[in-house]
Amino acid sequence: MSSESSTVLSPPGRFAGGVHPPEHKELARHAAIEVLPPPAELALPLLMHTGAPCQPVVQPRAEVVYGALLADSDAFVSAPIHAPAAGVVQREGVATLPNARHVKTIPLKVGPHQMAAEELMADMFGGEWPEDGIADVAPEEIVKAVRAAGIVGQGGAAFPTHVKLARNPKKPVDTILVNGCECEPYLTADYRVMVEAPAPVISGARLAARAAGAATIIIAVEDNKPEAIEALRAAAAGDVKIMSVPTRYPMGGEKQTVRVATGRTIPTGGLPLDVGVVVINVETAAAIARAVWRKKPLTHRVVTVTGGGIAQPKNILAPIGCRYADLVAFCGGLKPEAGRAIAGGPMMGFALGDFNAPVTKGTSGLTVLTAEDVRRAAETPCVRCGRCVEACPLDLMPTRLALAARHKDWNLAKRHHLMACMECGCCAYVCPAAIPLVQLIRMGKVQMMKEVGK
Amino acid sequence: MAENAVTPIAPAAPPPAAASARAAPAKPAPALSVAPGPHIASGALTTRRMMLDVILAALPLLAVSVYLFRQYAVFQIAISVIGALAAERFFGWMRRRPNTLGDLSAAVTGLILGLSLPASAPWYVGVIGAFAGIGFGKAVFGGLGQNIFNPAMVGRAFVMIAFPAALGASAYVAPTLGVDAVTQATPLTAFKMMGSVAALKPLFLGMTNGSIGETSALAALIGGAYLCWRGTAAWRIPAGGILALAILAGASDLTGGSPWTFAHHLSSGAFLFGAFFIATDPVSSPLTPKGQWIFGAGFGALVLLIRAFSGYPEGVMFSVLLMNSVAPLINRWTIPTPVGGPAPERK
């Protein structure tokens, strides 16, 4: 252990509840990141982030180069979109995202001359990442570069990162928390990034801290990823604290990670910012480093294609806008026992109706489960065993919430704090009566908002 | 099983013939289902498995009961279980419901009822108790999960009122059966009536008279430990009950109260059987951790009050039923505050 290396810290906090689903990370954890050859056409959704949709800034039939700006917005909470490959812009299209949202897209016919795979990998993750000189970069410059690169949270929520990093005198930030928990079963994309490219992750974390004015940098990784912890530790100096947190779903949920890594509790309905923390995903951190040091926009991301229904599970560096079908084909197709395809992981991911949806900036993976994996017992009456109450990481009473949602009893729902639910799904995972608890709660939240909330 | 068949590819594995793979997206495409997440479920515990756990946990009690009461134990349990299954089917048929015998909840009701009867009870007591328990205790509320009271205790309360002679203290003394255990009054009755204090060791091991499943504190502890370890029983309920009874009885011991010490209270009668097997019925007990403590403590305190101050030697059945009636209220009092505080009112 060299003297300048970081040591691995134990977390100061904990959260109650949670579950331990079988991890199945072994399927893809050893698969080094491979570059997806650019498919013939990409479709870039104009809204793949939280906030205002973008407007195209290019006309159909325009020829664009790799990294060219395709769409932007004047709104503060938005993120521009860039070309992941050189090609010709097509007429505006429409795509259905896995969350069932219909969005306009800019289709891009990919040209014949593309960057070689090795070159792209080197550009994304390779080479030197400056350790010094961060103090010379003005915080506003970092925020501006992050905004210009179209960086959003790559952990799933896709919230524009520059909004989180911009300093707000009313809400000072003292901690940048890089989330490398990857608590969803099966997924290994973040793990591969941490193992293969710890340097840009650490550099990006430092830049984020500089931008937000945070003195403390913590990278939290679940203890089922010792190789990632070691890689980060070896690459980090003392200013970046590597923290090994217990492996328990939903450790990677923002509320849980912040509580465990800092001991602070985010108020219900609030943000990490309310307790002086900014949380960014490991790949987002790498994207920040790339945007600042190499002036490159967010055009590619690592996605895990895995599950018992996929012929060859892989971690793929994929251009934003490629279709799920391209990923499946690159992984040797589906196995006959495939039973459900999920955008994301099996706990919080969305089932896909077909493979035509495009990969977005927030896509972490494609999990294809077998029919056996997704077989569920028939629902039986609730016997009030309280398993869901024990499993809920937020101390809610899921069975009461589901009852309230089923009967549209919004007083009961309010009394049991329906709107505090973060929909992690632990309750439905453990329910001995196979009641779709979180599914009912999710529906109840939407209906209650419609009927009583304004 | 299927996922184990896949070998993780080595980092150096050559990319598969990507072109050919892309040319044929799917030959006979597997049928993919769509549903809202989570897409996996633990499956470690099902309602049926919970009921099976109770039956497994009752094995030590069954062993002691058969040892003590011979064929009478087998007979009482058999008619209670058969009665409960028949009642479940009968009321299910009346309510035009599919067969629910498979969830084993009726079998558990019958088992608990049978274990709570005296060896000498006539055959119709078990049958009527089972029908009353399943019918008035469960079916009228809407079946499994809807009932307020523990069905086995409703059934037992019913036959206790209907057949006082068959379930009263005197019914436990039946020398004519030819079984040693039932030649003397139960320890609690003997104390209540004559002030004679039983020795602790036979009380704890269960070599005494009583309802067929209640006599052995040790057997109840073994089965109860299994139930709590499995998570089938909420451990806070027996813990709260034992604590409350021990503290209250212990306080009375310290003030020089009664020769029937807290250790006698804990190991006598149906207390531990009730604390682990009856009060923990999930349907009729609170959901919240705090509520389970309150429920357990209330149960333990009521048992002591009834034993000490009522005309009955034992109070487990009444305590369970009384606490059942306040379980919904306890649930309501003990709604936990979410992590991060209550959801803010939206404007």
Side-chain angles (χ1 to χ4, degrees):
Chain A
M1 216 187 279
S2 82
S3 61
E4 64 202 354
S5 300
S6 186
T7 49
V8 178
L9 299 182
S10 309
R14 60 182 302 278
F15 75 91
V19 294
H20 279 121
E23 293 168 22
H24 292 302
K25 302 230 184 217
E26 73 283 356
L27 292 178
R29 71 180 300 156
H30 298 296
I33 299 170
E34 288 180 60
V35 176
L36 180 77
E41 190 172 288
L42 300 172
L44 292 125
L46 290 171
L47 181 60
M48 50 175 146
H49 48 260
T50 306
C54 288
Q55 299 304 324
V57 299
V58 288
Q59 297 300 316
R61 289 205 295 279
E63 274 193 40
V64 294
V65 296
Y66 163 63
L69 182 68
L70 297 181
D72 204 346
S73 163
D74 293 333
F76 180 55
V77 184
S78 187
I81 293 157
H82 303 81
V88 181
V89 174
Q90 309 291 300
R91 239 200 344 236
E92 200 172 81
V94 174
T96 307
L97 298 184
N99 61 9
R101 205 167 180 165
H102 297 285
V103 290
K104 289 182 184 164
T105 63
I106 300 181
L108 185 68
K109 186 173 248 173
V110 174
H113 302 295
Q114 298 299 335
M115 209 187 242
E118 302 75 40
E119 203 187 328
L120 182 66
M121 268 304 275
D123 186 48
M124 289 287 297
F125 299 121
E128 291 296 312
W129 299 90
E131 295 206 7
D132 308 316
I134 289 175
D136 301 335
V137 190
E140 305 77 47
E141 290 304 311
I142 299 172
V143 175
K144 212 183 274 177
V146 168
R147 163 78 174 80
I151 296 175
V152 303
Q154 286 175 253
F159 190 80
T161 303
H162 68 272
V163 180
K164 297 204 263 187
L165 296 183
R167 293 194 189 187
N168 175 352
K170 277 185 229 149
K171 299 262 171 95
V173 170
D174 62 13
T175 304
I176 288 287
L177 178 55
V178 181
N179 190 343
C181 293
E182 202 167 47
C183 62
E184 270 279 357
Y186 290 93
L187 301 186
T188 53
D190 289 351
Y191 167 76
R192 288 312 309 183
V193 170
M194 289 186 278
V195 168
E196 294 186 42
V201 172
I202 288 162
S203 187
R206 289 189 179 122
L207 289 166
R210 169 80 182 143
T216 308
I217 303 171
I218 302 171
I219 306 184
V221 185
E222 278 190 346
D223 57 14
N224 62 350
K225 299 181 252 304
E227 300 88 343
I229 292 172
E230 180 47 32
L232 290 166
R233 192 199 59 77
D239 63 326
V240 179
K241 300 184 172 103
I242 314 299
M243 192 175 280
S244 168
V245 297
T247 301
R248 181 152 41 105
Y249 180 87
M251 184 58 79
E254 218 162 58
K255 286 166 191 283
Q256 284 70 39
T257 326
V258 169
R259 199 171 151 100
V260 170
T262 70
R264 301 174 197 171
T265 304
I266 302 173
T268 302
L271 294 169
L273 199 60
D274 294 323
V275 292
V277 182
V278 166
V279 183
I280 55 174
N281 168 266
V282 283
E283 237 193 302
T284 310
I288 292 172
R290 197 161 170 264
V292 172
W293 301 126
R294 300 184 177 174
K295 310 283 176 230
K296 292 289 169 60
L298 175 58
T299 54
H300 290 71
R301 65 157 300 148
V302 181
V303 291
T304 306
V305 182
T306 182
I310 277 282
Q312 291 155 318
K314 288 182 183 186
N315 297 293
I316 301 173
L317 182 63
I320 310 291
C322 71
R323 294 176 313 147
Y324 282 93
D326 301 324
L327 299 176
V328 172
F330 188 60
C331 292
L334 299 181
K335 293 210 264 182
E337 56 265 41
R340 188 172 299 166
I342 300 154
M347 290 301 289
M348 285 189 84
F350 295 96
L352 290 172
D354 58 44
F355 291 102
N356 292 325
V359 165
T360 67
K361 292 174 181 176
T363 303
S364 50
L366 167 67
T367 309
V368 182
L369 298 180
T370 63
E372 179 62 26
D373 290 335
V374 296
R375 201 165 49 94
R376 280 207 84 170
E379 188 183 335
T380 55
C382 174
V383 293
R384 290 178 245 165
C385 66
R387 278 288 165 123
C388 55
V389 181
E390 301 261 356
C392 180
L394 294 179
D395 285 352
L396 302 173
M397 297 172 69
T399 179
R400 308 293 289 167
L401 294 176
L403 185 78
R406 206 170 243 168
H407 298 293
K408 301 196 170 59
D409 181 344
W410 306 133
N411 283 326
L412 183 66
K414 238 181 227 167
R415 203 156 65 227
H416 290 85
H417 313 287
L418 177 68
M419 297 315 280
C421 172
M422 60 181 251
E423 303 173 22
C424 65
C426 290
C427 49
Y429 177 77
V430 296
C431 181
I435 300 171
L437 292 165
V438 74
Q439 293 89 331
L440 286 163
I441 293 170
R442 211 181 278 139
M443 218 166 63
K445 281 169 78 174
V446 175
Q447 285 182 328
M448 179 159 139
M449 291 264 267
K450 248 192 232 162
E451 291 180 26
V452 291
K454 272 156 276 237
Chain B
M1 209 160 70
E3 48 272 7
N4 295 342
V6 182
T7 341
I9 58 162
S20 68
R22 205 176 313 162
K27 292 131 239 169
L32 298 182
S33 60
V34 177
H39 306 282
I40 49 175
S42 146
L45 199 70
T46 59
T47 306
R48 183 188 156 87
R49 180 63 220 249
M50 292 174 73
M51 299 300 167
L52 194 62
D53 276 338
V54 179
I55 295 172
L56 290 175
L59 288 178
L61 299 173
L62 284 170
V64 174
S65 71
V66 172
Y67 173 76
L68 279 181
F69 304 106
R70 312 285 164 184
Q71 71 273 29
Y72 299 100
V74 177
F75 171 74
Q76 294 299 350
I77 291 164
I79 53 168
S80 299
V81 169
I82 292 166
L85 294 176
E88 176 85 356
R89 201 65 204 95
F90 175 70
F91 291 110
W93 168 79
M94 282 179 82
R95 298 172 61 233
R96 303 283 184 270
R97 288 299 164 101
N99 185 349
T100 50
L101 295 186
D103 67 20
L104 297 179
S105 68
V108 166
T109 300
L111 177 66
I112 302 289
L113 175 69
L115 289 170
S116 73
L117 294 177
S120 63
W123 66 270
Y124 50 82
V125 168
V127 173
I128 291 173
F131 268 79
I134 300 274
F136 300 130
K138 189 164 93 170
V140 294
F141 290 100
L144 179 67
Q146 308 302 319
N147 47 298
I148 293 172
F149 297 101
N150 182 316
M153 290 302 101
V154 170
R156 192 178 191 281
F158 186 91
V159 288
M160 188 164 169
I161 294 162
F163 310 104
L167 279 103
S170 57
Y172 284 87
V173 187
T176 53
L177 293 187
V179 175
D180 286 349
V182 293
T183 50
Q184 292 180 341
T186 67
L188 279 169
T189 305
F191 176 67
K192 186 130 222 156
M193 299 304 161
M194 293 160 282
S196 64
V197 178
L200 264 178
K201 194 176 163 195
L203 264 190
F204 183 73
L205 295 179
M207 299 302 120
T208 56
N209 194 0
S211 299
I212 56 176
E214 73 175 22
T215 61
S216 172
L218 179 65
L221 279 174
I222 294 170
Y226 172 77
L227 283 181
C228 293
W229 170 72
R230 283 284 305 166
T232 293
W235 61 271
R236 296 178 191 91
I237 293 174
I242 291 168
L243 274 178
L245 187 75
I247 290 171
L248 290 179
S252 118
D253 292 350
L254 288 179
T255 53
S258 151
W260 196 259
T261 66
F262 78 96
H264 288 93
H265 271 295
L266 286 177
S267 38
S268 66
F271 177 70
L272 287 178
F273 172 52
F276 283 105
F277 286 83
I278 308 176
T280 55
D281 167 28
V283 176
S284 51
S285 63
L287 262 173
T288 61
K290 215 195 282 175
Q292 289 165 352
W293 279 113
I294 298 174
F295 182 88
F299 164 74
L302 280 175
V303 168
L304 187 75
L305 283 179
I306 293 171
R307 282 181 184 177
F309 300 112
S310 82
Y312 289 99
E314 174 61 309
V316 166
M317 180 188 78
F318 294 121
S319 303
V320 167
L321 291 172
L322 286 171
M323 289 314 291
N324 285 165
S325 71
V326 291
L329 266 182
I330 295 176
N331 266 338
R332 204 173 160 150
W333 295 334
T334 55
I335 297 170
T337 310
V339 173
E345 287 288 322
R346 300 174 65 91
K347 281 179 211 79

